[in-house]
Amino acid sequence: MEKCTNLAEMKEWCRAIPKIELHAHLNGCIRDSTLLELAKLLGEKGVIIFADVEHVIRKCGRSLTECFQLFDLFHILATDHETISRITKEVVEDFAAEEVVYLELRTTPKNNEAKGMTKRSYMKAVINGLRSVDTVDASFINLNGKTESFCEPMQKSCTTCMEKKKIYVRLLLSIDRRETTAAAMETVCLALEMREFGVVGIDLSGNPVVGEWNTFLPALKYAKEQGLPVTLHCGEVSNKMEIQAMLNFSPDRIGHACFLDEDDWEKARLSQIPVEICLTSNLRTQRLSSIHVHHFANLYNANHPLVLCTDDTGLFSTSLSNEYYLAAETFGLDKKDMLQLGANAIEFVFADSEVKKAIREIFRAFERRLADEFPSWKS
Ligand SMILES: CNc1ncnc2c1ncn2[C@@H]1O[C@H](COP(=O)(O)O)[C@@H](O)[C@H]1O
Ligand SMILES: [Zn+2]
């Protein structure tokens, strides 16, 4: 692979090309400024001590354990429905701002009696957040197999809409590894019920050293039986038995896959299971000796299906453009490679074929523009 000589140009390229985000956790993507504002408010109410929290939010380079401590704090800061709607809106707008044209946003529906919150009302707040997006044109509802947006792209007559960035948003409901079998089943049933609101799949996430695979298996099997795609955080830590059980389950995608042995990779290769790669997240939490030893290179060279993702833009102070740039710079990929890498991900999205077709067209239109402006691009 040839190294790109002009890094600044590559950085700009990674920002400008259309991108697909398939692994982003809502509460991990909250803006720091929003977290600090929420913390200040709770500090004034005496619920938390702001100075302590400020230090935690501003800290860089966290271990995996510290990340999960921080998630507990995020969940204290973002507990009411209004805040959930607000952060959903902001996260969608942030992704759209950096040319993400399709976002599969995942979140864990939560019960919180004190706030009068149920998993269903939590998800309603997320949907309200999507509805309130106004600085970009977000298309998220899936009605009778047809994609609807509030300002359909999409509509050539609407000039305001034509000027706004377009982003397709679909949702994955996450099962937290701390949950019981019944709670996991409740999430799957809710996901099935909410398919018409753009819920397209199930994710298993949470602290990888907590919980047992067998606890979640009944709910995950049920999702599969009902035709709801499943992605699993797999091998984020070393756990041979669980990794094998997860691969035997044949999920539709896996996230991270940092601790797979050769025989596990053989299985993943045979089933061509797409891998969601989160470089910065792995670098920060796995204490890799260097990014150069990341399994991205082996997978990429073997042509294994993969997609670059952020995991938690807020927690890790990253963006999808940044992840693309990191991959390009570290592994010596060129502009065409990066555009192709992004376009490959269309095949791994959980949305229906209509949406895939629309995203394919966005990539084609981008390439057409390039070919017009730079005739040498095609060669
Ligand atoms: C760092 N790597 C990771 N590994 C595993 N799970 C992770 C994660 N990053 C995030 N989450 C999961 O996503 C939740 C936050 O978003 P939501 O409240 O669902 O929107 C975390 O509590 C955790 O369960
Ligand atoms: Zn994750």
Side-chain angles (χ1 to χ4, degrees):
M1 286 182 270
E2 200 183 307
K3 198 150 177 86
C4 175
T5 45
N6 192 337
L7 295 180
E9 199 181 313
M10 180 53 102
K11 197 170 226 170
E12 175 50 26
W13 177 257
C14 290
R15 199 206 56 75
I17 57 175
K19 291 173 287 294
I20 292 177
E21 170 64 87
L22 299 184
H23 186 142
H25 300 267
L26 174 61
N27 277 283
C29 294
I30 311 176
R31 295 175 187 162
D32 274 1
S33 57
T34 300
L35 277 176
L36 288 168
E37 191 189 315
L38 294 170
K40 209 171 230 173
L41 275 176
L42 286 190
E44 281 162 15
K45 288 182 187 163
V47 180
I48 54 166
I49 299 168
F50 177 69
D52 295 352
V53 172
E54 185 184 17
H55 158 75
V56 178
I57 293 171
R58 290 192 196 276
K59 186 182 174 194
C60 286
R62 301 173 181 97
S63 68
L64 195 59
T65 310
E66 283 173 329
C67 283
F68 285 96
Q69 285 164 352
L70 196 57
F71 279 128
D72 288 339
L73 170 63
F74 286 4
H75 294 148
I76 294 171
L77 296 179
T79 37
D80 57 78
H81 294 101
E82 217 175 278
T83 308
I84 297 299
S85 300
R86 170 187 172 174
I87 61 172
T88 305
K89 175 183 191 293
E90 291 179 353
V91 168
V92 169
E93 290 177 352
D94 289 348
F95 276 109
E98 52 153 352
E99 309 302 334
V100 171
V101 295
Y102 176 90
L103 164 66
E104 243 165 55
L105 187 60
R106 54 187 79 188
T107 193
T108 322
K110 297 162 187 75
N111 287 312
N112 185 340
E113 250 177 68
K115 296 276 172 185
M117 182 182 280
T118 61
K119 288 191 175 197
R120 185 172 284 101
S121 72
Y122 175 93
M123 285 313 301
K124 269 195 183 160
V126 170
I127 300 292
N128 283 340
L130 293 178
R131 262 186 233 284
S132 66
V133 171
D134 53 9
T135 60
V136 298
D137 192 7
S139 167
F140 67 94
I141 297 181
N142 190 8
L143 282 174
N144 307 321
K146 286 245 169 12
T147 304
E148 306 271 326
S149 79
F150 290 105
C151 201
E152 206 19 67
M154 1 209 187
Q155 268 174 35
K156 303 232 162 43
S157 54
C158 172
T159 46
T160 328
C161 150
M162 285 300 284
E163 281 156 18
K164 286 182 182 176
K165 291 184 191 288
K166 324 278 184 229
I167 182 167
Y168 286 89
V169 185
R170 293 293 181 268
L171 300 169
L172 302 182
L173 300 202
S174 301
I175 295 168
D176 187 318
R177 296 180 62 109
R178 287 178 295 195
E179 291 187 292
T180 61
T181 302
M185 193 62 94
E186 192 192 344
T187 296
V188 171
C189 291
L190 183 59
L192 290 167
E193 204 182 286
M194 294 192 66
R195 278 176 138 173
E196 64 184 317
F197 291 102
V199 173
V200 290
I202 289 289
D203 155 58
L204 175 66
S205 53
N207 192 337
V209 298
V210 170
E212 296 288 329
W213 166 249
N214 280 340
T215 309
F216 320 112
L217 190 54
L220 296 170
K221 270 187 176 160
Y222 183 60
K224 205 181 212 188
E225 281 161 20
Q226 297 297 312
L228 198 59
V230 172
T231 177
L232 304 172
H233 280 61
C234 173
E236 198 176 2
V237 292
S238 171
N239 184 342
K240 182 80 184 163
M241 297 266 278
E242 183 177 276
I243 291 169
Q244 285 179 331
M246 284 184 168
L247 292 174
N248 286 338
F249 174 76
S250 295
D252 298 274
R253 294 197 308 251
I254 52 174
H256 298 297
C258 300
F259 287 89
L260 271 61
D261 293 333
E262 200 36 55
D263 56 323
D264 303 322
W265 277 123
E266 190 50 35
K267 187 168 265 174
R269 257 194 299 272
L270 283 174
S271 52
Q272 286 290 292
I273 185 168
V275 181
E276 300 153 2
I277 297 277
C278 309
L279 294 173
T280 299
S281 167
N282 295 158
L283 200 59
R284 296 271 172 87
T285 61
Q286 305 302 333
R287 295 178 296 274
L288 294 174
S289 55
S290 141
I291 187 152
H292 295 275
V293 300
H294 195 279
H295 50 293
F296 172 90
N298 285 343
L299 294 183
Y300 184 82
N301 289 330
N303 249 328
H304 188 90
L306 61 86
V307 48
L308 289 174
C309 304
T310 55
D311 210 9
D312 301 289
T313 53
L315 190 69
F316 299 122
S317 307
T318 190
S319 64
L320 194 55
S321 311
N322 187 49
E323 296 301 303
Y324 271 53
Y325 175 65
L326 192 57
E329 190 204 4
T330 310
F331 304 107
L333 307 185
D334 67 17
K335 289 181 175 179
K336 269 189 187 158
D337 296 331
M338 294 318 294
L339 184 57
Q340 188 59 51
L341 193 61
N344 290 349
I346 300 171
E347 303 315 314
F348 323 137
V349 311
F350 289 165
D352 59 46
S353 53
E354 283 295 310
V355 176
K356 284 188 185 175
K357 207 167 114 191
I359 318 169
R360 250 181 237 118
E361 189 40 49
I362 294 175
F363 276 85
R364 277 198 205 114
F366 182 82
E367 288 216 39
R368 274 199 300 274
R369 268 206 319 275
L370 275 176
D372 287 348
E373 284 173 36
F374 310 99
S376 62
W377 170 255
K378 273 190 190 153
S379 55

